[in-house]
Short mmCIF file of all heavy atoms in Angstrom, two decimals:
data_model
loop_
_atom_site.label_atom_id
_atom_site.label_comp_id
_atom_site.label_asym_id
_atom_site.label_seq_id
_atom_site.Cartn_x
_atom_site.Cartn_y
_atom_site.Cartn_z
N GLY R 8 -62.18 -53.43 -3.60
CA GLY R 8 -62.39 -53.96 -4.94
C GLY R 8 -63.79 -54.52 -5.12
O GLY R 8 -64.01 -55.42 -5.91
N GLY R 9 -64.76 -53.97 -4.37
CA GLY R 9 -66.13 -54.44 -4.45
C GLY R 9 -66.40 -55.70 -3.65
O GLY R 9 -67.53 -56.17 -3.61
N GLN R 10 -65.39 -56.26 -3.00
CA GLN R 10 -65.56 -57.49 -2.22
C GLN R 10 -65.74 -57.15 -0.74
O GLN R 10 -65.11 -56.24 -0.22
CB GLN R 10 -64.33 -58.40 -2.37
CG GLN R 10 -64.03 -58.80 -3.80
CD GLN R 10 -62.77 -59.63 -3.90
OE1 GLN R 10 -62.33 -60.23 -2.93
NE2 GLN R 10 -62.18 -59.69 -5.08
N ASN R 11 -66.60 -57.90 -0.09
CA ASN R 11 -66.84 -57.72 1.34
C ASN R 11 -65.73 -58.41 2.12
O ASN R 11 -65.63 -59.64 2.12
CB ASN R 11 -68.20 -58.31 1.71
CG ASN R 11 -68.56 -58.08 3.16
OD1 ASN R 11 -67.72 -57.64 3.95
ND2 ASN R 11 -69.78 -58.38 3.53
N TRP R 12 -64.92 -57.64 2.81
CA TRP R 12 -63.80 -58.19 3.59
C TRP R 12 -64.10 -58.19 5.08
O TRP R 12 -63.20 -58.17 5.91
CB TRP R 12 -62.51 -57.42 3.29
CG TRP R 12 -61.92 -57.81 1.97
CD1 TRP R 12 -62.45 -58.69 1.06
CD2 TRP R 12 -60.69 -57.35 1.40
NE1 TRP R 12 -61.64 -58.79 -0.05
CE2 TRP R 12 -60.55 -57.99 0.13
CE3 TRP R 12 -59.71 -56.47 1.80
CZ2 TRP R 12 -59.46 -57.76 -0.71
CZ3 TRP R 12 -58.62 -56.24 0.97
CH2 TRP R 12 -58.50 -56.89 -0.26
N GLY R 13 -65.37 -58.22 5.44
CA GLY R 13 -65.76 -58.39 6.82
C GLY R 13 -66.19 -57.10 7.50
O GLY R 13 -66.19 -56.03 6.90
N ASN R 14 -66.60 -57.23 8.75
CA ASN R 14 -67.08 -56.08 9.51
C ASN R 14 -66.73 -56.23 10.99
O ASN R 14 -66.43 -57.33 11.46
CB ASN R 14 -68.60 -55.94 9.35
CG ASN R 14 -69.35 -57.13 9.88
OD1 ASN R 14 -69.28 -58.22 9.33
ND2 ASN R 14 -70.08 -56.94 10.96
N ARG R 15 -66.79 -55.12 11.71
CA ARG R 15 -66.48 -55.13 13.13
C ARG R 15 -67.32 -54.06 13.82
O ARG R 15 -67.56 -52.98 13.27
CB ARG R 15 -65.00 -54.86 13.37
CG ARG R 15 -64.58 -55.04 14.82
CD ARG R 15 -63.09 -54.76 15.03
NE ARG R 15 -62.25 -55.78 14.42
CZ ARG R 15 -60.93 -55.79 14.54
NH1 ARG R 15 -60.31 -54.83 15.20
NH2 ARG R 15 -60.21 -56.74 13.97
N ALA R 16 -67.75 -54.36 15.05
CA ALA R 16 -68.56 -53.42 15.83
C ALA R 16 -67.69 -52.73 16.88
O ALA R 16 -66.81 -53.35 17.48
CB ALA R 16 -69.71 -54.16 16.50
N TYR R 17 -67.94 -51.44 17.09
CA TYR R 17 -67.23 -50.65 18.10
C TYR R 17 -68.23 -49.98 19.02
O TYR R 17 -69.33 -49.61 18.61
CB TYR R 17 -66.37 -49.58 17.41
CG TYR R 17 -65.23 -50.15 16.61
CD1 TYR R 17 -65.41 -50.48 15.27
CD2 TYR R 17 -63.99 -50.37 17.18
CE1 TYR R 17 -64.38 -51.02 14.52
CE2 TYR R 17 -62.94 -50.90 16.44
CZ TYR R 17 -63.14 -51.23 15.11
OH TYR R 17 -62.13 -51.76 14.38
N PHE R 18 -67.81 -49.79 20.27
CA PHE R 18 -68.65 -49.14 21.27
C PHE R 18 -67.83 -48.02 21.91
O PHE R 18 -67.27 -48.20 23.00
CB PHE R 18 -69.12 -50.15 22.32
CG PHE R 18 -69.87 -51.31 21.72
CD1 PHE R 18 -69.20 -52.46 21.33
CD2 PHE R 18 -71.24 -51.25 21.53
CE1 PHE R 18 -69.87 -53.54 20.76
CE2 PHE R 18 -71.92 -52.32 20.96
CZ PHE R 18 -71.24 -53.46 20.57
N PRO R 19 -67.72 -46.87 21.24
CA PRO R 19 -66.88 -45.78 21.76
C PRO R 19 -67.37 -45.27 23.11
O PRO R 19 -68.58 -45.21 23.37
CB PRO R 19 -66.98 -44.70 20.68
CG PRO R 19 -68.23 -45.01 19.94
CD PRO R 19 -68.38 -46.49 19.99
N ARG R 20 -66.43 -44.88 23.95
CA ARG R 20 -66.77 -44.30 25.26
C ARG R 20 -67.09 -42.83 25.10
O ARG R 20 -66.28 -42.07 24.54
CB ARG R 20 -65.59 -44.47 26.21
CG ARG R 20 -65.89 -44.05 27.65
CD ARG R 20 -64.61 -43.86 28.43
NE ARG R 20 -63.91 -42.63 28.02
CZ ARG R 20 -62.68 -42.33 28.38
NH1 ARG R 20 -61.99 -43.18 29.12
NH2 ARG R 20 -62.11 -41.21 27.99
N HIS R 21 -68.25 -42.40 25.59
CA HIS R 21 -68.62 -40.99 25.53
C HIS R 21 -69.67 -40.70 26.59
O HIS R 21 -70.34 -41.62 27.09
CB HIS R 21 -69.14 -40.62 24.14
CG HIS R 21 -70.40 -41.34 23.74
ND1 HIS R 21 -71.66 -40.92 24.11
CD2 HIS R 21 -70.61 -42.48 23.02
CE1 HIS R 21 -72.57 -41.74 23.63
NE2 HIS R 21 -71.97 -42.71 22.96
N SER R 22 -69.83 -39.45 26.91
CA SER R 22 -70.84 -39.07 27.89
C SER R 22 -72.21 -39.03 27.21
O SER R 22 -72.31 -38.92 25.99
CB SER R 22 -70.52 -37.69 28.48
OG SER R 22 -70.60 -36.70 27.48
N VAL R 23 -73.26 -39.09 28.01
CA VAL R 23 -74.62 -39.15 27.47
C VAL R 23 -75.01 -37.85 26.78
O VAL R 23 -75.92 -37.84 25.94
CB VAL R 23 -75.65 -39.49 28.57
CG1 VAL R 23 -75.43 -40.90 29.08
CG2 VAL R 23 -75.57 -38.48 29.71
N ASP R 24 -74.33 -36.75 27.10
CA ASP R 24 -74.71 -35.48 26.49
C ASP R 24 -73.95 -35.18 25.20
O ASP R 24 -74.14 -34.14 24.58
CB ASP R 24 -74.52 -34.31 27.48
CG ASP R 24 -73.09 -34.22 28.01
OD1 ASP R 24 -72.20 -34.87 27.43
OD2 ASP R 24 -72.88 -33.52 29.01
N GLU R 25 -73.07 -36.09 24.78
CA GLU R 25 -72.35 -35.89 23.52
C GLU R 25 -73.30 -36.06 22.33
O GLU R 25 -74.08 -37.02 22.27
CB GLU R 25 -71.20 -36.89 23.38
CG GLU R 25 -70.01 -36.57 24.26
CD GLU R 25 -69.19 -35.40 23.76
OE1 GLU R 25 -69.60 -34.73 22.79
OE2 GLU R 25 -68.14 -35.14 24.37
N ASP R 26 -73.21 -35.15 21.38
CA ASP R 26 -74.01 -35.22 20.17
C ASP R 26 -73.50 -36.33 19.26
O ASP R 26 -72.29 -36.60 19.21
CB ASP R 26 -73.95 -33.87 19.43
CG ASP R 26 -74.87 -33.83 18.24
OD1 ASP R 26 -76.09 -33.66 18.44
OD2 ASP R 26 -74.38 -34.02 17.11
N SER R 27 -74.42 -36.98 18.52
CA SER R 27 -74.03 -38.09 17.63
C SER R 27 -73.03 -37.64 16.57
O SER R 27 -72.16 -38.42 16.16
CB SER R 27 -75.27 -38.67 16.96
OG SER R 27 -76.09 -39.30 17.91
N THR R 28 -73.15 -36.39 16.10
CA THR R 28 -72.21 -35.90 15.08
C THR R 28 -70.80 -35.78 15.65
O THR R 28 -69.81 -36.02 14.95
CB THR R 28 -72.67 -34.54 14.53
OG1 THR R 28 -72.73 -33.59 15.60
CG2 THR R 28 -74.04 -34.66 13.88
N ALA R 29 -70.70 -35.40 16.94
CA ALA R 29 -69.38 -35.31 17.58
C ALA R 29 -68.79 -36.69 17.81
O ALA R 29 -67.57 -36.90 17.66
CB ALA R 29 -69.50 -34.56 18.91
N VAL R 30 -69.64 -37.66 18.14
CA VAL R 30 -69.17 -39.03 18.37
C VAL R 30 -68.61 -39.62 17.09
O VAL R 30 -67.52 -40.21 17.08
CB VAL R 30 -70.31 -39.91 18.93
CG1 VAL R 30 -69.86 -41.38 19.01
CG2 VAL R 30 -70.74 -39.42 20.31
N ILE R 31 -69.33 -39.47 15.98
CA ILE R 31 -68.87 -40.05 14.71
C ILE R 31 -67.62 -39.33 14.20
O ILE R 31 -66.72 -39.95 13.62
CB ILE R 31 -70.00 -40.04 13.64
CG1 ILE R 31 -69.67 -41.02 12.51
CG2 ILE R 31 -70.22 -38.65 13.08
CD1 ILE R 31 -69.80 -42.46 12.90
N GLU R 32 -67.52 -38.03 14.46
CA GLU R 32 -66.32 -37.29 14.06
C GLU R 32 -65.10 -37.81 14.81
O GLU R 32 -64.05 -38.09 14.21
CB GLU R 32 -66.49 -35.79 14.33
CG GLU R 32 -65.24 -34.98 13.99
CD GLU R 32 -65.27 -33.57 14.57
OE1 GLU R 32 -66.28 -33.19 15.19
OE2 GLU R 32 -64.26 -32.86 14.40
N ALA R 33 -65.23 -37.93 16.14
CA ALA R 33 -64.12 -38.42 16.95
C ALA R 33 -63.76 -39.85 16.57
O ALA R 33 -62.59 -40.22 16.50
CB ALA R 33 -64.48 -38.33 18.43
N PHE R 34 -64.78 -40.67 16.31
CA PHE R 34 -64.53 -42.07 15.95
C PHE R 34 -63.73 -42.15 14.65
O PHE R 34 -62.73 -42.87 14.58
CB PHE R 34 -65.86 -42.81 15.78
CG PHE R 34 -65.70 -44.20 15.24
CD1 PHE R 34 -65.39 -45.26 16.07
CD2 PHE R 34 -65.84 -44.45 13.87
CE1 PHE R 34 -65.21 -46.54 15.56
CE2 PHE R 34 -65.68 -45.72 13.35
CZ PHE R 34 -65.36 -46.77 14.20
N LEU R 35 -64.17 -41.45 13.61
CA LEU R 35 -63.50 -41.53 12.31
C LEU R 35 -62.06 -41.01 12.40
O LEU R 35 -61.15 -41.60 11.81
CB LEU R 35 -64.29 -40.75 11.26
CG LEU R 35 -65.64 -41.35 10.85
CD1 LEU R 35 -66.38 -40.41 9.91
CD2 LEU R 35 -65.46 -42.72 10.19
N ALA R 36 -61.85 -39.93 13.14
CA ALA R 36 -60.50 -39.38 13.27
C ALA R 36 -59.57 -40.38 13.95
O ALA R 36 -58.43 -40.59 13.52
CB ALA R 36 -60.55 -38.07 14.05
N GLN R 37 -60.05 -41.02 15.01
CA GLN R 37 -59.22 -42.00 15.73
C GLN R 37 -59.10 -43.31 14.97
O GLN R 37 -58.06 -43.97 14.98
CB GLN R 37 -59.81 -42.26 17.11
CG GLN R 37 -59.75 -41.05 18.03
CD GLN R 37 -60.46 -41.28 19.35
OE1 GLN R 37 -60.23 -42.30 20.01
NE2 GLN R 37 -61.32 -40.36 19.75
N PHE R 38 -60.17 -43.72 14.29
CA PHE R 38 -60.18 -44.98 13.56
C PHE R 38 -59.14 -44.99 12.45
O PHE R 38 -58.43 -45.99 12.25
CB PHE R 38 -61.58 -45.22 12.98
CG PHE R 38 -61.75 -46.54 12.28
CD1 PHE R 38 -61.84 -47.72 13.01
CD2 PHE R 38 -61.83 -46.61 10.90
CE1 PHE R 38 -62.00 -48.94 12.38
CE2 PHE R 38 -61.99 -47.83 10.27
CZ PHE R 38 -62.07 -48.99 11.00
N TYR R 39 -59.02 -43.88 11.73
CA TYR R 39 -58.09 -43.82 10.61
C TYR R 39 -56.73 -43.25 11.00
O TYR R 39 -55.89 -43.02 10.14
CB TYR R 39 -58.68 -42.99 9.47
CG TYR R 39 -59.87 -43.67 8.81
CD1 TYR R 39 -61.14 -43.15 8.92
CD2 TYR R 39 -59.69 -44.86 8.10
CE1 TYR R 39 -62.23 -43.78 8.34
CE2 TYR R 39 -60.77 -45.50 7.52
CZ TYR R 39 -62.04 -44.96 7.64
OH TYR R 39 -63.11 -45.60 7.06
N GLU R 40 -56.50 -43.08 12.30
CA GLU R 40 -55.22 -42.54 12.75
C GLU R 40 -54.07 -43.48 12.40
O GLU R 40 -52.97 -43.04 12.06
CB GLU R 40 -55.28 -42.29 14.26
CG GLU R 40 -54.07 -41.57 14.83
CD GLU R 40 -52.93 -42.52 15.16
OE1 GLU R 40 -53.21 -43.69 15.53
OE2 GLU R 40 -51.77 -42.11 15.05
N ASN R 41 -54.31 -44.79 12.45
CA ASN R 41 -53.23 -45.76 12.19
C ASN R 41 -53.49 -46.62 10.96
O ASN R 41 -52.92 -47.69 10.81
CB ASN R 41 -53.03 -46.66 13.41
CG ASN R 41 -54.26 -47.51 13.71
OD1 ASN R 41 -55.34 -47.27 13.17
ND2 ASN R 41 -54.10 -48.50 14.57
N LYS R 42 -54.39 -46.17 10.09
CA LYS R 42 -54.66 -46.91 8.85
C LYS R 42 -55.07 -45.96 7.75
O LYS R 42 -55.64 -44.88 8.02
CB LYS R 42 -55.73 -47.98 9.08
CG LYS R 42 -57.07 -47.42 9.54
CD LYS R 42 -58.06 -48.53 9.84
CE LYS R 42 -57.75 -49.26 11.11
NZ LYS R 42 -57.91 -48.42 12.34
N LEU R 43 -54.79 -46.32 6.50
CA LEU R 43 -55.15 -45.46 5.39
C LEU R 43 -56.64 -45.55 5.10
O LEU R 43 -57.19 -46.65 4.99
CB LEU R 43 -54.37 -45.86 4.13
CG LEU R 43 -52.89 -45.50 4.09
CD1 LEU R 43 -52.26 -46.02 2.81
CD2 LEU R 43 -52.70 -43.99 4.19
N PRO R 44 -57.32 -44.42 4.99
CA PRO R 44 -58.74 -44.46 4.63
C PRO R 44 -58.92 -44.84 3.18
O PRO R 44 -58.06 -44.55 2.34
CB PRO R 44 -59.20 -43.01 4.89
CG PRO R 44 -57.97 -42.19 4.72
CD PRO R 44 -56.83 -43.05 5.20
N PRO R 45 -60.04 -45.49 2.83
CA PRO R 45 -60.31 -45.81 1.42
C PRO R 45 -60.75 -44.55 0.67
O PRO R 45 -60.92 -43.48 1.28
CB PRO R 45 -61.45 -46.82 1.52
CG PRO R 45 -62.18 -46.42 2.76
CD PRO R 45 -61.12 -45.93 3.72
N LYS R 46 -60.98 -44.70 -0.61
CA LYS R 46 -61.41 -43.55 -1.40
C LYS R 46 -62.80 -43.06 -1.00
O LYS R 46 -63.11 -41.88 -1.11
CB LYS R 46 -61.39 -43.90 -2.90
CG LYS R 46 -60.00 -44.14 -3.46
CD LYS R 46 -60.05 -44.45 -4.93
CE LYS R 46 -58.65 -44.67 -5.50
NZ LYS R 46 -58.67 -45.00 -6.94
N THR R 47 -63.63 -43.99 -0.54
CA THR R 47 -65.01 -43.64 -0.21
C THR R 47 -65.37 -44.10 1.20
O THR R 47 -65.11 -45.24 1.57
CB THR R 47 -65.99 -44.29 -1.21
OG1 THR R 47 -65.63 -43.90 -2.54
CG2 THR R 47 -67.42 -43.85 -0.95
N ILE R 48 -65.95 -43.20 1.98
CA ILE R 48 -66.50 -43.52 3.30
C ILE R 48 -67.95 -43.07 3.31
O ILE R 48 -68.23 -41.89 3.05
CB ILE R 48 -65.74 -42.80 4.42
CG1 ILE R 48 -64.25 -43.19 4.40
CG2 ILE R 48 -66.35 -43.12 5.79
CD1 ILE R 48 -63.39 -42.34 5.30
N ILE R 49 -68.87 -43.99 3.56
CA ILE R 49 -70.28 -43.61 3.64
C ILE R 49 -70.78 -43.85 5.05
O ILE R 49 -70.38 -44.82 5.70
CB ILE R 49 -71.15 -44.34 2.59
CG1 ILE R 49 -71.14 -45.85 2.82
CG2 ILE R 49 -70.69 -44.03 1.19
CD1 ILE R 49 -72.07 -46.60 1.90
N THR R 50 -71.62 -42.96 5.53
CA THR R 50 -72.09 -43.03 6.90
C THR R 50 -73.52 -42.50 7.00
O THR R 50 -73.94 -41.72 6.15
CB THR R 50 -71.17 -42.23 7.84
OG1 THR R 50 -71.66 -42.28 9.17
CG2 THR R 50 -71.05 -40.79 7.39
#
């Protein structure tokens, strides 16, 4: 609703040769596995 409801930092486990696009893809898929995504996600 336009209000800031806080933030949290994550440090996903991955190998050094993983591409950043693969890391963010895996993160988003797992992050929203147990919660509903909002209408807008910006990255």
Side-chain angles (χ1 to χ4, degrees):
Q10 302 177 21
N11 183 350
W12 284 3
N14 61 292
R15 188 180 290 184
Y17 293 89
F18 303 91
R20 187 196 73 191
H21 63 84
S22 65
V23 293
D24 57 14
E25 286 286 6
D26 186 78
S27 293
T28 60
V30 173
I31 198 72
E32 177 194 357
F34 172 83
L35 291 174
Q37 294 175 48
F38 184 74
Y39 291 113
E40 187 275 329
N41 63 347
K42 60 184 73 67
L43 286 177
K46 293 181 179 179
T47 304
I48 301 169
I49 63 175
T50 178

